[in-house]
Amino acid sequence: MDGRRGITILGSTGSIGRNTVELVEARPDLYRVEALVANSSVDSLAAQARRLKPRMAVVADAAHYGALREALAGTGIAVAAGSEAVVEAARLPADWVMAAIVGAAGLAPTLEAVRRGAVVALANKECLVCAGDLMIAEVAAHGATLLPVDSEHSAIFQVLEPDQADKIEKIVLTASGGPFRSRSRAEMAAVTPEEAVAHPNWSMGAKISVDSATMMNKGLELIEAHHLFAQPEERIDIVVHPQSVIHSMVSYVDGSVLAQLGSPDMRTPIAYALGWPDRIHAPAPRLDLAAIGQLTFEAPDAIRFPALRLARRALQSGGSAPTILNAANEIAVEAFLGRRIGFLDIAAVVERTLDESDAGRPASIAEVLEQDRTARERAWAVIKSIG
Ligand code: NAD
Ligand code: MG
C-alpha cells in the first residue's frame, strides 16, 4: 500500500456516487480506488472505471455483464456481475467504503464492509431503517466506524460531543418540507411523478426525491438518527426549514443548541466523511447569509404528511416494524413512479401494510430479509387491491 486511503464506492453512478467520484478524483494524492459498483448504468460505470482505475468494477444486474466486460477490455480491471459480486466488491480491503446504493438492496454489501471493520460512509439510510439494531451490533462487534453522509446526520455528528451524550436533551432534524410543503391534500392527490422528483433545494435520485415529497424521507431519517445517536424516538424532533441552510441541531441540558450550516450541496457532507477525521476542500457554493436574508421555521404538518406519523409509530413498535415500513415504502414509491398509484396512496399503502403485518423481533439478518420480502409481497397485494 502507498499510504493513500483505499476507497470503494457502492452505487458509484448515482447522485451520491457521482459526487463522491468527483471528490475522490480531485485528490489522487489521498485516495486510490478499490472497487466501483452500480446497478445497470454500464456506460457511466465504465467511464468512471477508466478514469479511476479500480481493481474491480461490478454491475449488480447480470444482464449487463457482457457490455461491461467489453467496455473495460484491455484495462486490467476485473469485471463481475450479480448480487454476489456486489458483496465480493465490498469484501475487497478498502479502508473506506461509500454505501450509496439505494434501498434495502444495499444492506448485504454494507454489512460486508462493516464486518471487515472498515470505515463506512453511510448514505444508504434504508439499510439502517431495515436492520438498524443488528447493523449497530455488527459495527460494535467488528470495530467498524459508521460516518453519516445524510446531511442532517452529518450535521449532528459534527456538533455532538461524544463524551457529553448523556447531556443531550433533543436532536432536532431539519426538513425542507419538499416540493409540496404548502399544497393541500386535494392538490397533492393529483401530483405527477415528474412534479414529485423535482426537489426545490437538493438534486437527488428519484426514490429519495419522492420520499422528500411525502416526507417519508424525514421519517426514515428519524429512525436513522435513533440508531446512529442512540436516542429514543421522543427525543428526536423535526422542524421544517424551507431554506435547507441549517442541516440539523443538537440541544443540550443547559439550553445550548449547536447547529451545522452550509449550502444545500451533498459534496459538503460527503467531503466531511471522506476527509474524516481531517477536513478536505469541497467545491460547494459558500454560504452567503446576507444574500439569503431570512431563515424560517415551521412545525411539520402530520395531517398532510402522514408518513411522519407512520415512521414514529414504526420506531415505537420496534422489532421488524421499521423493516416493514421501509419495504412497503420502497414498493409504493416504485408503484407511484410507474403510475400505478397516486401520490397520497404511497403513505396509505405503507399504513395498510403495517396494519396487516405482525411485527416480530428478527434475531438475524436472514430473518430481517425474510420480513422485508414478506412486506414487499403484502405491499404489492395492497397496491393491486386499490389500483
Ligand atoms: P440514485 O438512484 O441516484 O443512485 C443509486 C445508486 O445505486 C446507483 O449507482 C445505482 O446504480 C445503484 N444501485 C441501485 N440498485 C442497486 C443494486 N440492487 N445493487 C447495486 N447497486 C444498485 O440514488 P441517490 O440519490 O444517490 O441515493 C443513494 C442513497 O443515498 C439512498 O439510500 C438515499 O436515501 C441516500 N441519500 C441520498 C442523498 C442525495 O442527495 N442524493 C442524500 C442523503 C441520502
Ligand atoms: Mg437527509
Side-chain angles (χ1 to χ4, degrees):
M1 297 296 132
D2 54 15
R4 292 182 298 167
R5 193 175 233 189
I7 303 277
T8 282
I9 306 173
L10 305 170
S12 67
T13 58
S15 167
I16 294 287
R18 290 193 310 273
N19 280 317
T20 309
V21 164
E22 179 191 334
L23 292 167
V24 167
E25 257 185 313
R27 294 303 299 268
D29 56 322
L30 294 181
Y31 309 115
R32 65 183 166 76
V33 179
E34 284 281 335
L36 296 175
V37 173
N39 189 33
S40 58
S41 318
V42 167
D43 293 347
S44 166
L45 176 64
Q48 289 177 339
R50 283 183 171 274
R51 299 199 310 270
L52 291 162
K53 303 189 170 40
R55 268 215 270 171
M56 187 179 197
V58 174
V59 266
D61 182 344
H64 298 273
Y65 173 68
L68 184 62
R69 200 186 47 185
E70 204 171 300
L72 293 180
T75 59
I77 299 166
V79 169
S83 49
E84 274 305 305
V86 172
V87 174
E88 200 187 311
R91 197 175 299 140
L92 289 181
D95 313 286
W96 188 98
V97 177
M98 168 54 82
I101 291 173
V102 58
L107 178 58
T110 303
L111 258 181
E112 191 65 29
V114 163
R115 287 174 176 155
R116 288 196 293 106
V119 176
V120 176
L122 188 78
N124 179 205
K125 67 193 88 184
E126 294 93 342
C127 72
L128 257 195
V129 174
C130 173
D133 292 333
L134 293 167
M135 281 255 310
I136 295 298
E138 296 273 346
V139 167
H142 298 280
T145 303
L146 271 191
L147 298 175
V149 171
D150 221 342
S151 56
E152 297 76 3
H153 306 72
S154 175
I156 295 162
F157 189 84
Q158 292 183 53
V159 299
L160 193 153
E161 295 291 341
D163 53 352
Q164 296 182 348
D166 58 333
K167 304 295 180 324
I168 294 172
E169 218 161 60
K170 289 260 176 185
I171 280 179
V172 184
L173 297 174
T174 53
S176 69
F180 310 138
R181 179 173 61 88
S182 34
R183 300 244 185 133
S184 67
R185 293 272 298 170
E187 287 168 328
M188 278 194 261
V191 302
T192 62
E194 290 72 20
E195 291 173 281
V197 299
H199 196 278
N201 302 348
W202 299 93
S203 150
M204 310 181 287
K207 194 263 177 180
I208 183 175
S209 297
V210 176
D211 286 346
S212 297
T214 60
M215 290 193 77
M216 182 58 89
N217 183 50
K218 214 48 57 179
L220 300 177
E221 291 183 355
L222 169 90
I223 300 173
E224 182 186 15
H226 158 77
H227 290 298
L228 286 172
F229 307 116
Q231 294 296 320
E233 180 269 330
E234 63 275 11
R235 274 208 224 146
I236 309 171
D237 282 355
I238 293 168
V239 67
V240 174
H241 165 45
Q243 296 81 18
S244 300
V245 165
I246 295 181
H247 295 311
S248 278
M249 299 169 254
V250 177
S251 155
Y252 289 93
V253 289
D254 58 3
S256 287
V257 180
L258 302 195
Q260 183 260 359
L261 288 71
S263 297
D265 187 315
M266 286 307 292
R267 289 174 298 186
T268 295
I270 295 169
Y272 180 80
L274 254 181
W276 181 89
D278 198 357
R279 285 186 189 264
I280 58 169
H281 174 268
R286 274 20 184 181
L287 199 55
D288 183 346
L289 286 174
I292 294 166
Q294 281 196 343
L295 299 182
T296 60
F297 304 90
E298 62 200 47
D301 182 341
I303 307 290
R304 286 184 305 123
F305 297 99
L308 293 172
R309 170 175 57 78
L310 296 174
R312 285 203 183 272
R313 168 183 154 188
L315 181 51
Q316 278 166 349
S317 309
S320 52
T323 314
I324 296 162
L325 173 95
N326 180 66
N329 182 59
E330 286 192 32
I331 296 302
V333 170
E334 188 185 330
F336 169 70
L337 288 172
R339 296 182 159 76
R340 297 270 311 255
I341 58 172
F343 182 74
L344 294 179
D345 294 330
I346 298 172
V349 167
V350 173
E351 181 152 31
R352 268 189 58 190
T353 309
L354 275 170
D355 286 345
E356 292 174 13
S357 308
D358 25 78
R361 308 243 147 220
S364 66
I365 293 292
E367 284 178 33
V368 167
L369 292 174
E370 181 56 27
Q371 287 276 5
D372 173 83
R373 200 185 53 74
T374 312
R376 282 166 200 266
E377 280 171 8
R378 195 156 282 147
W380 274 123
V382 171
I383 287 163
K384 286 197 187 104
S385 75
I386 61 178

